[in-house]
Amino acid sequence: TMLPSGLNPTFLNADFAAMDERELRCLTTKFVPLAPDEQYSPQTYVRVLEGIRRGGALGARGEPVPGCRDYARQVAELSRELGCPLLAGGVTLHPNPRPVGPHDLWVTRNSALWFDGAPKAEGVYSKMHLVPFSEYVPFKHSWRWLHERLRGFVPPVMQQLDPGPRVVRFELTGREGPLRLATPICYEGTFARICRDMVVEDGRKSVDILANLSNDGWFVYSWRGGPPRGSTEHPQHMVQYVFRAVETRTAVVRAVNTGISASIDPNGRIAAVLEQYGVATMVRGSLLLDGREDTEPGDPQHGPKVLVDGRVSMYSLTGDVFAQAVSAAAGALTLWLLWKRLRTRKGSRQ
């Protein structure tokens, strides 16, 4: 599920020659760490960026290193070979519409890229709800002083990400008509509101499948020097998507590095799980949801076809209105009981 950085069309088609020195330096630092006092000419920055985009540099063993365009072309070739689009995650680069300084003219985003045979991504969705201190430090625009103080607690090597601006939906053309996909990335699936916004558009259900890309490698432990093991966070993360499937009556397909890759039907039933020897976490392999039975050991695992559900749930239509109404009613009842109790005490004193 992970691609190299910079495979989005915005970077692949960027006109480096039209950028000033500050913008070139900012973009270069997304690939090459530079010290604050390390300055180069605009021509040097352009050569570095063109090399990253075109490729041709030599690696540690003297082998040519592919560039971003080469990688995008390889993904497109694989898409044509398989006869289907490919959806994969990667870090994308974008001009910043709200920079806070010369170091902030370009931003990086955690994105899902859709390749459908062309040597560039036809669609890019960037994660909108980032994890505080893991993916970004808060208060960047609203409280700059506090942001700078908090940034000091996060290692400089941890690249700060920027949220995506909007939901992006992808369309898959199948034998039985088009299917629409949305891609909650990692922990976005723990928030019911975010997944509802992905599924519902203008009061109507606009998504057939939620395709979740995650990396649960953060949650691995080793007991007394033994082999690394997956933590209880892995099944907990998957269970969150069971709730999202039920709430929106939408199938969920998960491709998770280190964690649990699975297919969940719109009723919340776990239809298929990628596993080896009864273990579903920290395993590798392929899970084909084609309705076939498993064949020989070592071959890709198979599971039921993804069930597309046309039902629209009450939560999809109303969102958190019911929960908000219950909370308001509980608050009003609490205030009434307090008022009644105070009135009773006052009457007993008289």
Side-chain angles (χ1 to χ4, degrees), residues 125-136:
Y125 165 71
S126 298
K127 187 178 182 183
M128 298 185 300
H129 192 96
L130 301 174
V131 181
F133 299 100
S134 173
E135 293 180 309
Y136 83 108

Side-chain angles (χ1 to χ4, degrees), residues 36 50 70 87 120 122 129 157 188 191 221 268 274 289 298 311-312 323 337 346:
E50 286 290 1
D70 295 325
L87 178 66
K120 66 176 182 179
E122 285 87 343
H129 192 96
V157 295
E188 285 188 315
F191 299 94
Y221 71 97
L274 178 63
L289 304 176
R311 291 178 295 172
V312 180
L337 290 174
K346 186 177 180 180

Side-chain angles (χ1 to χ4, degrees), residues 20-30 36 39 45 96 98-107 140 144 148:
D20 61 26
E21 183 178 352
R22 297 188 310 164
E23 192 173 1
L24 288 169
R25 175 181 169 80
C26 178
L27 185 53
T28 302
T29 58
K30 303 302 179 183
Q39 300 290 335
Y45 292 129
N96 191 357
R98 300 175 60 199
V100 296
H103 65 283
D104 196 41
L105 298 175
W106 279 74
V107 293
K140 177 179 175 179
R144 188 68 188 164
E148 294 293 345

